[in-house]
Amino acid sequence: MSNIILRPEWHLPERQVTPEPAYRNRRQFLREFGFTGSGLLAGAALLERDAWAADAKKLYPAQRNIAFSPPDLKLSDEKVFISYNNFYEFSTSKESVVERVDKFITAPWPVKIHGLCEKPLTIDAQELAAEFPLEERVYRFRCVEAWGAVVPWTGFELRKLLERVQPKAGAKFVKFVTAMKPEQMPGLARLRGYPWPYTEGLRMEEAMHPLTILATGVYGKPLPKQNGAPIRVVVPWKYGYKSGKSLVSIELTDQQPKTLWETLSPEEYPFESNVDPAVPHPRWSQATERQVDTGDRIRTLPLNGYAAQVGELYKKKG
Ligand code: MTE
């Protein structure tokens, strides 16, 4: 028995992974053309982008992890979900985001993991997707605006990345900062008064919970730009605004991060923002939600149906 390697069922088969030398070459290429320095040459960058896009596709679809994908959940229609977006950096109109993302460049995409940790790291989003075996999970998704969906995300547990950088004892929160690229994001100019970049945060225990994932794909393909390519957070028991899109920085900190929505309106969008049908938003009820594809109205569940898994995090001590 001792020489049998037991793999979790979502283990990525070797043939789906880009060979290491190819990644090495790519890294070398990026170094030579100034990935960490003054900028890429335009033509070379285009070639590079195509190569990365081709590699990214090889990682999908990933094996579904049935332990995190209840069989009774019926997926929302893909076309509807990926074209009905909240991504204010592009537009405040959910139907228009998808029409405004073409100038958004999502590869290469360095992500910085830093702050109160022993081994800070800057790594490209695509390398992250290749380093941590990807799996698919079917999660309920609930927006604070009282609409919901059932979504097959592809990604890996955030805690695996946090463990890699070795958090220090003083790390109490994780702060997520997302991209702010005014020349590529037309919505930023229209909302000048907002405290950009879009910033979110979790308590350390929430970030380390196995349900919290970094998603790099959805519906068996790499994330579309409008859904937060190349990498976003997904925290299924919290309102959707906690799930920051197009992440550029993940910081371990001892301070509760100031988030964009909490700064704008703390009564409406508090830091914790767990899905709770019993606590109405100041302007509407949260008791029910409209399914984004069918239009059906269903009852919202406490902690969005994840009370058995995460309820313990919110039991009052003492
Ligand atoms: N992340 C960024 N950077 N900008 C945003 O406007 N909107 C949030 C969240 N993450 C948002 C964001 C909100 S309010 C929701 S409901 C979800 O993204 C929507 O994700 P989706 O468009 O993939 O459904």
Side-chain angles (χ1 to χ4, degrees):
M1 288 293 285
S2 62
N3 59 355
I4 297 174
I5 301 169
L6 288 174
R7 300 223 185 275
E9 63 178 18
W10 59 88
H11 178 78
L12 192 67
E14 210 52 51
R15 68 192 138 73
Q16 281 184 20
V17 183
T18 302
E20 204 186 327
Y23 271 98
R24 285 241 182 75
N25 291 342
R26 207 154 296 132
R27 257 176 259 169
Q28 194 178 345
F29 177 100
L30 288 169
R31 259 198 304 277
E32 280 163 15
F33 285 92
F35 176 58
T36 53
S38 54
L40 291 164
L41 296 175
L46 280 177
L47 280 177
E48 179 59 9
R49 210 175 302 150
D50 288 350
W52 282 65
D55 278 345
K57 285 204 186 103
K58 291 184 199 145
L59 299 168
Y60 304 87
Q63 185 93 44
R64 183 172 293 178
N65 182 347
I66 48 167
F68 286 87
S69 307
D72 57 313
L73 289 182
K74 186 174 172 300
L75 298 187
S76 298
D77 182 82
E78 174 180 354
K79 277 209 187 98
V80 177
F81 183 73
I82 68 166
S83 50
Y84 184 82
N85 304 102
N86 270 332
F87 207 163
Y88 275 26
E89 290 88 328
F90 294 94
S91 174
T92 51
S93 147
K94 293 185 218 325
E95 289 78 12
S96 304
V97 173
V98 64
E99 293 156 12
R100 301 202 179 148
V101 292
D102 22 310
K103 290 210 186 94
F104 187 35
I105 299 168
T106 57
W109 189 276
V111 183
K112 204 173 159 192
I113 304 103
H114 60 122
L116 294 175
C117 61
E118 302 293 346
K119 302 205 159 151
L121 176 72
T122 298
I123 182 169
D124 192 275
Q126 195 168 317
E127 278 186 55
L128 270 177
E131 264 192 47
F132 293 91
L134 298 182
E135 59 181 60
E136 183 175 80
R137 293 184 178 191
V138 177
Y139 279 174
R140 292 186 192 83
F141 187 76
R142 173 61 155 84
C143 178
V144 72
E145 298 162 340
W147 56 266
V150 173
V151 186
W153 300 106
T154 306
F156 58 92
E157 291 176 8
L158 171 63
R159 68 173 170 163
K160 293 188 180 161
L161 177 60
L162 296 179
E163 280 160 7
R164 173 77 62 91
V165 298
Q166 297 178 14
K168 290 187 177 162
K172 299 281 179 260
F173 296 91
V174 181
K175 174 179 172 182
F176 304 96
V177 181
T178 79
M180 184 169 80
K181 303 186 178 199
E183 65 296 347
Q184 297 174 28
M185 298 173 139
L188 289 172
R190 294 200 193 99
L191 297 171
R192 279 187 213 282
Y194 276 39
W196 302 111
Y198 193 100
T199 301
E200 259 305 336
L202 292 172
R203 285 199 282 121
M204 197 65 186
E205 305 74 39
E206 297 172 328
M208 294 295 279
H209 194 279
L211 278 177
T212 304
I213 58 170
L214 289 176
T216 58
V218 73
Y219 291 97
K221 295 164 216 145
L223 276 179
K225 295 177 182 182
Q226 63 274 16
N227 292 98
I231 191 160
R232 70 177 292 172
V233 200
V234 177
V235 196
W237 71 95
K238 291 181 179 279
Y239 290 121
Y241 64 88
K242 298 299 286 182
S243 298
K245 292 171 162 184
S246 305
L247 290 176
V248 294
S249 158
I250 300 174
E251 183 184 348
L252 293 146
T253 161
D254 54 359
Q255 306 288 318
Q256 180 171 307
K258 286 200 189 331
T259 73
L260 178 134
W261 284 114
E262 198 192 17
T263 307
L264 285 170
S265 186
E267 288 78 38
E268 292 181 286
Y269 311 110
F271 182 82
E272 187 173 82
S273 48
N274 290 333
V275 173
D276 190 344
V279 178
H281 182 276
R283 290 183 280 137
W284 57 82
S285 162
Q286 294 291 25
T288 64
E289 66 199 64
R290 176 182 55 83
Q291 290 303 281
V292 76
D293 55 341
T294 60
D296 292 348
R297 195 156 273 284
I298 62 167
R299 280 175 48 197
T300 290
L301 300 169
L303 294 165
N304 205 24
Y306 297 99
Q309 290 96 322
V310 294
E312 205 55 42
L313 293 178
Y314 306 104
K315 290 250 160 72
K316 297 261 183 299
K317 298 200 176 79

